[in-house]
Amino acid sequence: MPAPHSFRTAALIITCYILMGPGCSVSCQKKTSCSVQDGRADCSHLSLSAVPQDLPRNLNSLDVSHNRLRGIPPESLTRYPGLVHLDVSHNSITKLHGGLCETLNLLQTLDMGHNQVLTLQMDDLIHCTNLTHLILASNKLRLRGEPFSALESLKFLDVSKNSLQSAKLGSQSQLPNLVNLSLAFNPIKSLKKDDFTLLSNSTSLQVLNLTSVSLKTLDRGCFQPISSLRTLILDQSNTGTLVIAKVCSELSGTAISALSLRYMKLVTLTNTTFSGLKKTNVTFLDLSHNAMGKIEKGSFQWLPRLETLSLMDNNIKHVTKDTFQGLKSLKWLLLTRALVKSRSSSTPIIDDFSFQPLSALESLILQGTSVQNITEHTFKGLTNLKELDLSCSSYASLNFITNKTFASLAGSPLRMLNLTKAAIRQINPGSFSVFIDLTILYLESNFIRQTLYGKEFEGLGQLQEIHMSFNNQQINLSSTSFVYVPDLRVLTLAKGLIATALDREPSPFSPLTRLTVLDLSHNNIANIKESMLTGLVNLKVLKLQHNNLARVWKSANLGGPVLFLKDTLKLTTLLLDSNGLDEIPADALRGLKDLQVMSLASNLLNPLKESVFNDLQSLKVVILPKNLITTVRPEVFKVPLSNLSLLIMGKNPFDCTCESMLWFASWLNTTNVTYVPGLREQYTCNTPLTYFNRSVLDFDALSCKDMTPFQALYIISSTAVITLIVTALTVRFHGWRIKFYCNIVINRTLGFSDASAEEGREYEYDAYIIHAAEDTAWVEKRMVPLENGRCKFCFEDRDSVPGMSQLGSIVNNMRSSRKILFVVTESLLRDPWCRRFTAHQALHQVIEASRDSVVLVFLQDVHDYKLSRSLFLRRGMLRPCCVLHWPVHKERVQAFHQKLLIALGMTNRLQE
Ligand SMILES: *[C@@H]1O[C@H](CO)[C@@H](O)[C@H](O)[C@H]1NC(C)=O
Ligand SMILES: *[C@@H]1O[C@H](CO)[C@@H](O)[C@H](O)[C@H]1NC(C)=O
Ligand SMILES: *[C@@H]1O[C@H](CO)[C@@H](O)[C@H](O)[C@H]1NC(C)=O
Ligand SMILES: *[C@@H]1O[C@H](CO)[C@@H](O)[C@H](O)[C@H]1NC(C)=O
Ligand SMILES: *[C@@H]1O[C@H](CO)[C@@H](O)[C@H](O)[C@H]1NC(C)=O
Ligand SMILES: *[C@@H]1O[C@H](CO)[C@@H](O)[C@H](O)[C@H]1NC(C)=O
Ligand SMILES: *[C@@H]1O[C@H](CO)[C@@H](O)[C@H](O)[C@H]1NC(C)=O
Ligand SMILES: *[C@@H]1O[C@H](CO)[C@@H](O)[C@H](O)[C@H]1NC(C)=O
């Protein structure tokens, strides 16, 4: 049931949109205003319907593309008279206003692509004499009269994708400076004799773009007015071989030099297709992506000056000795994927002597091709070949290379041979002996499985680079492996060697005294000899990462650590990551004064010996993350870190103690020349516990400083002074409270109580109740009923002594009450009377009599701070049983009464 399902999907999307809609500006990071930088304003994608008027006046470039403009009235741009570049593409503009160029008289580039401009006439562009680039692609242009006649400076005109039926843009001579004209993607069927006459006085036109213009007929002489044309692009145009032939004959006598015929379904080339180019000087021909299967013999005989021919991505089945006949100037031949084997077709064939006509060829690219056989004659005659690329190919003949495989290149001065991914399994002695000039040999990513005894490279006396990495770790070396290539500068053997390949003496590298780069990484090598690099005095880059060299540098190694770097004193880059190294011998890096990059990531290093890095004065980059480094002390690191531009040392279990980290932490905090990526996140303390997982930057360097006697004295004396001041102030303002606390503390600790003395004295009331007027109702409802013969409360309203002043009465009644009970609510704390007098009086009473006799009943939760501020009381001053809370739950009221009675108990004696 697709319909309901899609309906549900749509509903879901709409719901999401409604929910997410406003948040979209956040989640999509959508632009909401123009960005202005260096006189350029970018106002694209803002749903604008007019040019913004709030931008700086001195703009020279304005981009208002991808908006909703319906027009660009010149008035909207009067603010920006300095504009040189204006992009109004991807809008809905229907008319180009004649006043635009008048307002913007400096305008050089106007992009009006992807709009709705319909008619274009002379007035519209009459003032645009300074314009050099005009893009009107993807509109609906209908030209009236001579719209472009005023464009004297125009160099680039793009009217592609406009449904133009004709290439004729005018009839009078105009556009004297036009260089590049694009008529691409217009349904032009024919080129008439006078189509380009408007350009007859222009000798500057160089490029004509007719991409996807499917011509059917051409008038004789149609290109005559533009005979200065150099580049013609006919890509994707669906014209047959015959029309191509016609185009070529029309180009006869022009200055044409480059022809692009890509994606044209040009399945066959005949011996006449290019015959019209005989009287031209075409040097560049691109025939790629044509599914071309057949090239008739002699097809290229007309192109004696051709220098570059691309036949990339075609389906050529057979190359014969006549295919390239006549291309005697050809220098670059690109046959990348031009000969391929598909499931339905047989493997293509290159005949013997096929390349013989190409005596000038310098570069032959056969990348990604598949060919049945390479014989002793395949490459015969390539007497100038410098580069041969057979990479990514599948030639059965390359599986086992012998002295016959490349015999046909005997006379070629080849410099570079690319045999990357060529499915090579074995190289036999003398295979490359014909390449006496070869300097670079790529043998990467093959399946070479053999021991190299040396003769494989026989004759390569000039060879400077062998790239042999990624050979499935099946290559073994011998002491003579490289005796025939003494000039070698670069040797890469990453992921290519068997683990024991280097375990021999003399070292395979000993003849390579000029070697500067040696890559032995990813080989799982465990054993090397101290003499491995002996004599390699020029070595600059040594890559040994991802091997297994831990034992080699162990002090416990039988015969001591292997100091294999003692001869390579010019080393600038040393990579030893992921080797399981847990120590570096004290002299391992001795004398490496030029070393700039040292990488030891992902080892097990710690601790490092003092001065182990001391000779490395030139270090610029140190990479040491993911080790077990705990301490970074100046004895080890001062020299290597002194002149660094990059340090990567995070993810180590740093010990943030003064001894281990003080120096490093302050170095990190003060360094401003060294870039330390991930400083906050990756440099964290592992120990001690107090710093665990915190950044090394948080390490408190001050805590390490020894306190000098003066500092101690200063701190002691200032502490004393402050204490004195505080004490004096406290005594002055809170003396009574201190006295109160003292009394209570003394009473509690020594067990004294004045209760016994007072016990005898009869009190008139059990408690004097202090409450706010607002709480009267509660008191009457909850307290008064308690009296009930069991006890007697004193309420000021009820029990004031007749005839006495109010104050006197309070004092008197308090005296005759055993306890003083506060009904604490926010109202009480606010009640000025309670606060100012009653409470004070109560307290004085308490303090004077030293009675431990205050009871607090909280009807609301009141913060202790407020309590002390208003009533000068704290919960802590009272025994816990004297602090009561009115319960929220009804069933607890009984228990509350019980507690209250206990608090008002007949004795003031401290209860245990
Ligand atoms: C062309 O640009 C110059 C400055 O480069 C200016 O003086 C002149 O007025 C402009 N011409 C027109 C027709 O706008
Ligand atoms: C074109 O050039 C010819 C001669 O070179 C000249 O007579 C003619 O006036 C020019 N036409 C225009 C429109 O400039
Ligand atoms: C020719 O024009 C098309 C369409 O505008 C464009 O995509 C192509 O890049 C142009 N070709 C060259 C070589 O400029
Ligand atoms: C083209 O090939 C045909 C035969 O296929 C031959 O008769 C003719 O002479 C050739 N023309 C040229 C110019 O090579
Ligand atoms: C081709 O080049 C030659 C020599 O450079 C020159 O004499 C000849 O005029 C050129 N042909 C064309 C059509 O430009
Ligand atoms: C390749 O060519 C050689 C010599 O021409 C021939 O001996 C051999 O059989 C050919 N191999 C294949 C697979 O065609
Ligand atoms: C050699 O061939 C490989 C694989 O096609 C390619 O990536 C590499 O760039 C080529 N090397 C040179 C120097 O052209
Ligand atoms: C090629 O190698 C074979 C032995 O593998 C040898 O007999 C022959 O002479 C060598 N040919 C050349 C030209 O070196």
Side-chain angles (χ1 to χ4, degrees):
M1 295 237 294
H5 178 78
S6 59
F7 172 76
R8 219 178 307 146
T9 312
L12 197 69
I13 291 169
I14 290 166
T15 315
C16 288
Y17 183 74
I18 290 166
L19 288 176
M20 304 297 289
C24 195
S25 55
V26 178
S27 58
C28 311
Q29 295 286 311
K30 207 174 160 203
K31 217 169 53 161
T32 54
S33 64
C34 305
S35 57
V36 183
Q37 199 185 8
D38 302 331
R40 293 190 305 267
D42 178 359
C43 301
S44 60
H45 297 278
L46 288 174
S47 306
L48 299 173
S49 49
V51 174
Q53 295 299 312
D54 54 353
L55 302 169
R57 285 176 172 275
N58 60 352
L59 285 183
N60 59 47
S61 173
L62 173 62
D63 179 356
V64 282
S65 64
H66 297 272
N67 280 299
R68 295 176 185 165
L69 305 183
R70 300 192 160 277
I72 28 164
E75 311 85 74
S76 68
L77 290 160
T78 43
R79 243 185 91 89
Y80 314 114
L83 278 182
V84 176
H85 308 287
L86 176 61
D87 186 349
V88 293
S89 63
H90 295 270
N91 279 291
S92 312
I93 299 166
T94 52
K95 176 101 183 79
L96 181 54
H97 203 291
L100 185 71
C101 288
E102 200 175 15
T103 308
L104 306 176
N105 70 356
L106 300 178
L107 199 64
Q108 289 182 7
T109 310
L110 175 59
D111 188 346
M112 296 255 316
H114 291 267
N115 276 294
Q116 314 277 338
V117 179
L118 200 59
T119 52
L120 194 67
Q121 52 202 21
M122 197 162 165
D123 288 347
D124 298 342
L125 291 164
I126 191 82
H127 298 291
C128 298
T129 45
N130 279 344
L131 210 59
T132 61
H133 284 68
L134 176 60
I135 299 164
L136 287 162
S138 295
N139 279 284
K140 298 171 175 174
L141 289 186
R142 263 186 242 145
L143 309 179
R144 293 250 176 88
E146 310 282 327
F148 304 111
S149 57
L151 303 171
E152 284 165 15
S153 312
L154 202 68
K155 293 195 172 116
F156 183 94
L157 176 60
D158 184 354
V159 288
S160 60
K161 300 186 187 168
N162 264 297
S163 309
L164 296 174
Q165 310 273 345
S166 159
K168 189 170 181 175
L169 304 176
S171 37
Q172 295 166 12
S173 187
Q174 53 195 281
L175 298 169
N177 286 302
L178 197 66
V179 174
N180 193 320
L181 172 62
S182 178
L183 289 161
F185 294 96
N186 281 302
I188 301 168
K189 292 272 181 308
S190 59
L191 289 184
K192 298 272 183 311
K193 194 173 183 332
D194 60 351
D195 277 355
F196 297 117
T197 49
L198 77 162
L199 297 167
S200 56
N201 275 17
S202 112
T203 50
S204 51
L205 191 74
Q206 296 202 356
V207 183
L208 179 60
N209 190 340
L210 292 175
T211 295
S212 195
V213 171
S214 299
L215 296 173
K216 297 274 180 288
T217 59
L218 285 89
D219 279 6
R220 181 164 292 276
C222 60
F223 291 128
Q224 226 52 65
I226 47 170
S227 59
S228 62
L229 191 67
R230 297 181 145 267
T231 304
L232 177 62
I233 299 150
L234 281 165
D235 299 350
Q236 300 176 48
S237 56
N238 202 1
T239 58
T241 314
L242 283 177
V243 177
I244 295 297
K246 181 79 173 123
V247 169
C248 291
S249 63
E250 287 310 320
L251 288 171
S252 185
T254 65
I256 192 83
S257 80
L259 204 50
S260 183
L261 304 171
R262 309 186 307 144
Y263 295 97
M264 288 184 70
K265 300 183 190 146
L266 214 56
V267 181
T268 312
L269 290 185
T270 70
N271 66 2
T272 53
T273 307
F274 299 123
S275 61
L277 298 176
K278 196 172 142 192
K279 286 198 199 126
T280 64
N281 287 338
V282 170
T283 58
F284 177 96
L285 179 59
D286 192 343
L287 286 163
S288 59
H289 299 277
N290 269 304
M292 190 183 295
K294 190 169 177 214
I295 301 175
E296 263 184 23
K297 56 165 94 160
S299 292
F300 299 114
Q301 60 179 308
W302 321 103
L303 302 166
R305 293 180 195 271
L306 197 66
E307 291 178 1
T308 306
L309 174 62
S310 173
L311 287 163
M312 253 169 74
D313 292 287
N314 278 299
N315 204 4
I316 300 166
K317 287 286 145 227
H318 196 171
V319 176
T320 70
K321 63 183 174 34
D322 300 315
T323 304
F324 300 118
Q325 188 196 318
L327 292 171
K328 56 179 197 269
S329 303
L330 200 67
K331 290 202 170 95
W332 292 278
L333 177 57
L334 280 91
L335 288 167
T336 305
R337 294 179 299 274
L339 303 114
V340 289
K341 178 179 158 41
S342 67
R343 231 181 300 145
S344 56
S345 65
S346 55
T347 314
I349 299 168
I350 297 180
D351 280 357
D352 286 357
F353 305 106
S354 284
F355 301 108
Q356 191 144 39
L358 307 176
S359 54
L361 199 68
E362 292 180 0
S363 179
L364 175 59
I365 312 294
L366 282 158
Q367 214 181 80
T369 52
S370 173
V371 165
Q372 262 183 18
N373 208 350
I374 293 181
T375 72
E376 298 123 281
H377 306 296
T378 304
F379 300 113
K380 264 275 160 58
L382 292 168
T383 50
N384 272 302
L385 198 66
K386 301 211 165 67
E387 177 188 11
L388 177 60
D389 188 339
L390 287 162
S391 65
C392 306
S393 59
S394 53
Y395 291 14
S397 330
L398 293 181
N399 293 353
F400 298 89
I401 302 180
T402 66
N403 62 2
K404 290 211 178 98
T405 312
F406 297 115
S408 57
L409 286 160
S412 311
L414 207 66
R415 300 281 155 77
M416 204 271 276
L417 176 60
N418 196 341
L419 291 170
T420 301
K421 284 196 195 167
I424 299 167
R425 289 198 221 154
Q426 196 178 332
I427 302 167
N428 286 299
S431 289
F432 304 119
S433 57
V434 296
F435 298 127
I436 49 174
D437 296 311
L438 201 69
T439 51
I440 308 177
L441 175 60
Y442 286 93
L443 288 165
E444 278 176 4
S445 303
N446 282 295
F447 305 96
I448 301 168
R449 176 179 195 150
Q450 68 186 98
T451 302
L452 298 175
Y453 288 108
K455 292 230 175 216
E456 297 80 7
F457 301 125
E458 197 178 352
L460 295 172
Q462 303 291 320
L463 200 65
Q464 299 195 352
E465 300 183 17
I466 298 181
H467 298 267
M468 248 180 135
S469 296
F470 309 107
N471 265 291
N472 291 345
Q473 290 174 291
Q474 296 290 355
I475 298 172
N476 198 357
L477 299 179
S478 69
S479 293
T480 53
S481 291
F482 302 106
V483 286
Y484 287 99
V485 284
D487 209 20
L488 214 58
R489 315 286 160 95
V490 177
L491 176 59
T492 74
L493 288 161
K495 211 166 188 178
L497 298 178
I498 64 169
T500 56
L502 300 175
D503 197 9
R504 59 199 77 254
E505 232 163 355
S507 163
F509 309 124
S510 54
L512 306 178
T513 50
R514 296 186 182 157
L515 203 65
T516 56
V517 178
L518 179 59
D519 184 352
L520 297 168
S521 62
H522 292 90
N523 278 316
N524 213 23
I525 295 166
N527 287 325
I528 55 176
K529 299 268 191 262
E530 189 153 298
S531 64
M532 178 177 79
L533 304 174
T534 300
L536 305 194
V537 289
N538 291 301
L539 197 65
K540 291 202 154 67
V541 178
L542 178 60
K543 301 184 182 180
L544 279 167
Q545 70 271 32
H546 292 272
N547 280 297
N548 195 10
L549 297 173
R551 189 191 52 79
V552 169
W553 267 358
K554 271 195 202 298
S555 42
N557 185 33
L558 210 62
V562 181
L563 305 179
F564 58 91
L565 298 173
K566 64 182 172 19
D567 269 6
T568 56
L569 298 182
K570 289 196 182 159
L571 220 51
T572 60
T573 301
L574 174 63
L575 310 183
L576 272 163
D577 321 52
S578 300
N579 263 294
L581 299 173
D582 54 3
E583 42 179 316
I584 302 178
D587 290 327
L589 305 170
R590 216 35 90 212
L592 302 181
K593 290 195 162 46
D594 295 337
L595 198 66
Q596 295 180 3
V597 179
M598 175 175 76
S599 188
L600 285 158
S602 301
N603 281 296
L604 305 165
L605 293 173
N606 189 59
L608 290 160
K609 295 192 173 58
E610 263 177 39
S611 73
V612 63
F613 298 137
N614 268 17
D615 283 357
L616 314 182
Q617 299 147 359
S618 308
L619 274 179
K620 292 269 175 288
V621 178
V622 168
I623 303 175
L624 265 169
K626 297 191 194 167
N627 274 286
L628 299 175
I629 297 171
T630 52
T631 75
V632 186
R633 286 177 299 128
E635 293 84 349
V636 180
F637 284 97
K638 193 167 181 172
V639 173
L641 299 195
S642 59
N643 204 7
L644 224 51
S645 42
L646 174 67
L647 174 68
I648 301 177
M649 200 172 163
K651 300 188 180 166
N652 275 298
F654 293 116
D655 172 42
C656 292
T657 56
C658 295
E659 194 200 356
S660 309
M661 208 46 57
L662 174 61
W663 178 80
F664 189 45
S666 25
W667 183 84
L668 284 173
N669 270 322
T670 53
T671 184
N672 44 12
V673 264
T674 311
Y675 174 50
V676 186
L679 183 51
R680 263 275 144 216
E681 315 85 57
Q682 291 176 12
Y683 293 72
T684 53
C685 308
N686 189 52
T687 49
L689 212 53
T690 42
Y691 279 109
F692 178 71
N693 233 354
R694 286 173 58 190
S695 170
V696 168
L697 295 180
D698 294 342
F699 181 71
D700 181 13
L702 284 178
S703 70
C704 300
K705 300 270 184 285
D706 282 339
M707 215 177 264
T708 63
F710 288 115
Q711 277 174 316
L713 208 62
Y714 168 75
I715 287 173
I716 290 168
S717 56
S718 53
T719 312
V721 169
I722 288 168
T723 315
L724 210 64
I725 292 171
V726 169
T727 316
L729 289 174
T730 316
V731 169
R732 168 68 184 80
F733 291 106
H734 290 275
W736 60 269
R737 196 175 299 183
I738 295 166
K739 198 173 156 198
F740 173 81
Y741 276 109
C742 280
N743 268 328
I744 290 179
V745 168
I746 288 167
N747 279 349
R748 285 189 184 172
T749 43
L750 300 182
F752 290 146
S753 173
D754 53 358
S756 53
E758 306 213 349
E759 215 85 305
R761 186 177 142 196
E762 272 309 312
Y763 289 107
E764 196 178 333
Y765 303 107
D766 286 313
Y768 183 92
I769 314 286
I770 300 174
H771 62 85
E774 286 93 325
D775 302 321
T776 314
W778 183 87
V779 169
E780 279 171 2
K781 180 147 181 250
R782 298 292 175 186
M783 298 293 286
V784 177
L786 280 179
E787 284 189 308
N788 194 11
R790 271 188 285 179
C791 52
K792 190 158 181 247
F793 296 139
C794 174
F795 297 101
E796 200 52 53
D797 310 339
R798 187 183 74 185
D799 305 314
S800 54
V801 182
M804 214 183 252
S805 74
Q806 194 183 4
L807 302 184
S809 166
I810 290 172
V811 174
N812 211 27
N813 279 338
M814 275 190 189
R815 282 233 174 95
S816 23
S817 301
R818 181 185 290 125
K819 299 270 180 177
I820 297 169
L821 187 149
F822 286 86
V823 178
V824 186
T825 58
E826 295 278 355
S827 332
L828 181 78
L829 303 189
R830 277 196 304 272
D831 190 321
W833 177 252
C834 288
R835 269 171 32 199
R836 294 257 169 75
F837 183 74
T838 325
H840 255 280
Q841 184 54 39
L843 277 168
H844 274 273
Q845 180 80 17
V846 167
I847 291 161
E848 260 168 37
S850 296
R851 284 191 302 164
D852 192 3
S853 59
V854 170
V855 173
L856 299 184
V857 174
F858 287 90
L859 299 194
Q860 291 166 347
D861 201 14
V862 171
H863 198 275
D864 214 24
Y865 151 77
K866 278 194 187 167
L867 194 66
S868 78
R869 215 185 47 179
S870 310
L871 299 184
F872 311 102
L873 273 172
R874 286 176 192 280
R875 285 179 179 84
M877 289 169 155
L878 308 178
R879 281 183 286 163
C881 75
C882 295
V883 179
L884 293 122
H885 294 269
W886 175 244
V888 188
H889 302 286
K890 246 190 181 150
E891 58 271 24
R892 302 219 180 132
V893 170
Q894 205 54 44
F896 170 79
H897 286 157
Q898 205 61 40
K899 277 193 210 158
L900 184 63
L901 288 175
I902 290 172
L904 299 175
M906 287 302 122
T907 176
N908 285 337
R909 192 182 285 281
L910 297 161
Q911 287 167 350
E912 256 61 77

